[in-house]
Amino acid sequence: MNIFKELLLFSHVAFGVMGILAGVWLFVEVLNVSDQNKTRILRASLTVSFLISLSYLIGGYWYVFFYGPDKAIIKSGVWPWAHGFFMETKEHLFFVLLLLSIYLPVAVFKSDLLTNKSSRKLVLTITGLIIIIGLVMEGFGSVISAGVKMGLIGR
Amino acid sequence: MENNRVKFGFGLSVATTAILSAILVVAKEMNTVLKGWMKEFTGHHWVTHGILMLVFFLVLGFILTKYKADESLKLNDQRMSLIVGGGTLLSAIIIAGFYLFH
């Protein structure tokens, strides 16, 4: 068993979950914006961006260098759609998640969230999308893992 | 004003790049020559896809900011929420729909 490969995969999932949680933290802070939490909002937006980007880079490295054998198992197994739909959709939808995460701090830093309600709605929209797509990514990841398991059971 | 210019320029770039990325997914899956070129360029089509999208996002964002897209398109935060949300949703529908029926 390649421990490095497994550690990469766990890190990808862990940073993704932490990114989603940071998104929830930012969402709540923006809903309760005041003079006291303005700095926290800036920090939370940077945290989301950093964690999602890290999850993307680690997941991407794992996908490019280690996914091949798992893909072969899934495709020859009883759940070939775990790759055909779930992995293909996940690997391409992640680009959108990355774009939103990079854009989030820009929207936060360039807005006056305390006085402008529409700006708050924009930041909440971006953050909400990051949380939803992030959760979809986590769910799809678990189906892909189950696809490998089903492929191995069938052997 | 300068703040809005950057915010709306890059917001519009997010929505445009997300939709373009979905179109590229369909194009490369339907065209083996394109997918082959993308694979050759970096060693993996997915890596090339990511680099292209990131470069496009940054270049378009800077162009839209420089040429004051916020003024010419009369953008505001409310419209930006719809544009970013709509672009993201459309991209997700194209990608998931394509792989569902492909």
Side-chain angles (χ1 to χ4, degrees):
Chain A
M1 187 167 125
N2 187 340
I3 294 293
F4 177 64
K5 176 191 165 188
E6 302 306 322
L7 273 176
L8 276 181
L9 195 56
F10 293 151
S11 308
H12 163 64
V13 177
F15 286 122
V17 169
M18 285 191 277
I20 294 167
L21 290 175
V24 175
W25 167 35
L26 175 63
F27 200 93
V28 175
E29 294 280 12
V30 173
L31 284 176
N32 298 285
V33 64
S34 68
D35 267 329
Q36 282 74 45
N37 71 350
K38 273 166 77 177
T39 312
R40 274 208 307 276
I41 287 174
L42 297 177
R43 282 182 188 155
S45 72
L46 286 171
T47 306
V48 173
S49 189
F50 174 73
L51 289 170
I52 296 292
S53 301
L54 200 57
S55 177
Y56 169 82
L57 288 172
I58 294 170
Y61 185 86
W62 180 88
Y63 171 69
V64 170
F65 293 103
F66 297 113
Y67 178 60
D70 287 359
K71 178 181 169 181
I73 293 169
I74 296 171
K75 287 182 86 171
S76 62
V78 289
W79 284 13
W81 39 263
H83 170 80
F85 176 73
F86 287 93
M87 185 49 145
E88 292 284 15
T89 302
K90 183 178 193 277
E91 74 186 57
H92 291 105
L93 199 55
F94 216 124
F95 291 135
V96 183
L97 181 60
L98 182 70
L99 291 175
L100 289 168
S101 305
I102 294 171
Y103 178 55
L104 179 65
V106 177
V108 170
F109 275 79
K110 298 293 182 186
S111 297
D112 186 357
L113 298 175
L114 198 57
T115 58
N116 194 329
K117 195 179 172 186
S118 296
S119 291
R120 285 201 295 275
K121 278 187 181 169
L122 174 62
V123 171
L124 288 173
T125 301
I126 301 163
T127 311
L129 287 169
I130 289 172
I131 294 167
I132 292 167
I133 298 175
L135 289 170
V136 169
M137 297 288 103
E138 295 294 338
F140 276 29
S142 62
V143 174
I144 296 158
S145 296
V148 178
K149 195 174 154 188
M150 294 304 286
L152 290 170
I153 288 171
R155 286 188 172 190
Chain B
M1 213 51 158
E2 182 58 34
N3 278 351
N4 281 346
R5 203 154 286 160
V6 174
K7 183 169 64 174
F8 296 150
F10 279 91
L12 204 54
S13 183
V14 167
T16 312
T17 311
I19 295 168
L20 195 80
S21 176
I23 292 169
L24 185 60
V25 167
V26 177
K28 76 177 176 184
E29 294 293 358
M30 301 298 279
N31 187 329
T32 50
V33 178
L34 177 63
K35 195 168 183 178
W37 174 82
M38 287 174 75
K39 192 178 176 184
E40 251 180 51
F41 191 67
T42 57
H44 201 293
H45 68 90
W46 185 80
V47 176
T48 307
H49 194 135
I51 292 170
L52 286 175
M53 289 306 105
L54 209 56
V55 170
F56 183 84
F57 163 68
L58 291 173
V59 171
L60 184 66
F62 280 115
I63 289 172
L64 291 171
T65 303
K66 187 176 165 58
Y67 290 99
K68 303 173 184 174
D70 59 317
E71 285 176 20
S72 49
L73 297 172
K74 293 177 182 159
L75 294 173
N76 56 40
D77 284 299
Q78 205 160 356
R79 280 188 185 163
M80 205 69 250
S81 298
L82 290 172
I83 290 169
V84 171
T88 302
L89 191 66
L90 185 60
S91 176
I93 289 170
I94 294 172
I95 294 169
F98 176 75
Y99 284 116
L100 193 63
F101 298 108
H102 184 56

